[in-house]
Amino acid sequence: MHLTTLARHALSRGRTPADTYALLARRTREPLPSARAVCLALTIPLAETTRRLADCYDALLTDPTPGTETDTGELLEALGVFDIPKSLTDTELTIVDHLLTAIDAHGSLRPGHHHGLQRWFTTGNLTTAYLSLTTTHPLPRAGNPTLYWTTLTTTGDLLTTTHPDTRIAYALTHCRAQAAKHQKSTPPTSHSSPPEASVR
């Protein structure tokens, strides 16, 4: 049976992508084709599948050790290799752009949080991505708190038009308050003329 067909069959029987990978890898002793088959069975486009597997090939899919298939499958799943990409609307793409601006304005987002955000963008889980950022405070020196909170306020306004959720309303109130606080604390730009050179 073709590997992708076998993967599709296993998934239809309720197996998780990680379990399906382990099943195929144990049978074939070929990690890369097994992982590719799971991705394709999940309808992840071939180009995206190839890119994701290339990113983790050296670390997880070379020199397989018998008995580690389950662990490898769980790692692949945790890394987002089996995440099914969602087709985003124009509004959702704008929301992602705003969230990326906020990430840049944060200053130093933890790698684990950054990875989680990328997965939520891929799967279209924008509400979770937004809420996770509203509970994270930007770094005063490395980041730009005013831009961070004003951007999240704009993002929250957009989200409320497409994702009605009381959690967003509460988070939006918090972002507005933080934006106002930081705008007040930002010193105005000085427009005073430079001092004249002293005359000897």
Side-chain angles (χ1 to χ4, degrees):
M1 184 181 292
H2 192 277
L3 273 183
T4 303
T5 303
L6 184 59
R8 194 174 294 117
H9 177 71
L11 291 167
S12 71
R13 298 292 294 271
R15 286 183 179 269
T16 66
D19 289 340
T20 301
Y21 165 81
L23 172 69
L24 300 184
R26 275 194 294 269
R27 289 191 179 189
T28 65
R29 302 296 183 198
E30 296 183 17
L32 181 59
S34 298
R36 184 186 298 115
V38 176
C39 289
L40 296 178
L42 291 167
T43 69
I44 298 171
L46 179 58
E48 177 65 12
T49 293
T50 302
R51 184 192 67 77
R52 293 183 189 186
L53 295 179
D55 288 344
C56 64
Y57 178 75
D58 290 339
L60 295 176
L61 300 174
T62 58
D63 193 24
T65 303
T68 61
E69 296 86 2
T70 297
D71 291 340
T72 300
E74 290 174 354
L75 280 171
L76 290 170
E77 193 162 53
L79 288 171
V81 171
F82 301 138
D83 286 350
I84 301 173
K86 179 182 181 292
S87 180
L88 302 180
T89 65
D90 288 342
T91 300
E92 289 172 330
L93 289 171
T94 301
I95 289 169
V96 171
D97 284 341
H98 286 319
L99 291 175
L100 290 172
T101 298
I103 290 170
D104 288 340
H106 181 275
S108 182
L109 208 61
R110 291 180 294 104
H113 191 179
H114 197 280
H115 175 68
L117 286 163
Q118 291 300 324
R119 293 190 65 185
W120 291 325
F121 294 161
T122 298
T123 58
N125 198 347
L126 303 185
T127 295
T128 301
Y130 173 72
L131 293 174
S132 77
L133 287 172
T134 63
T135 60
T136 304
H137 287 264
L139 301 183
R141 294 183 181 275
N144 184 334
T146 301
L147 177 61
Y148 183 81
W149 293 114
T150 55
T151 301
L152 289 182
T153 299
T154 302
T155 309
D157 285 331
L158 272 175
L159 271 171
T160 56
T161 66
T162 57
H163 299 72
D165 189 320
T166 54
R167 295 175 300 166
I168 296 175
Y170 287 122
L172 184 52
T173 299
H174 171 67
C175 291
R176 282 202 179 100
Q178 290 294 322
K181 171 185 171 184
H182 286 283
Q183 283 171 339
K184 287 179 180 178
S185 64
T186 302
T189 303
S190 174
H191 296 291
S192 59
S193 301
E196 295 181 2
S198 59
V199 179
R200 294 181 180 274

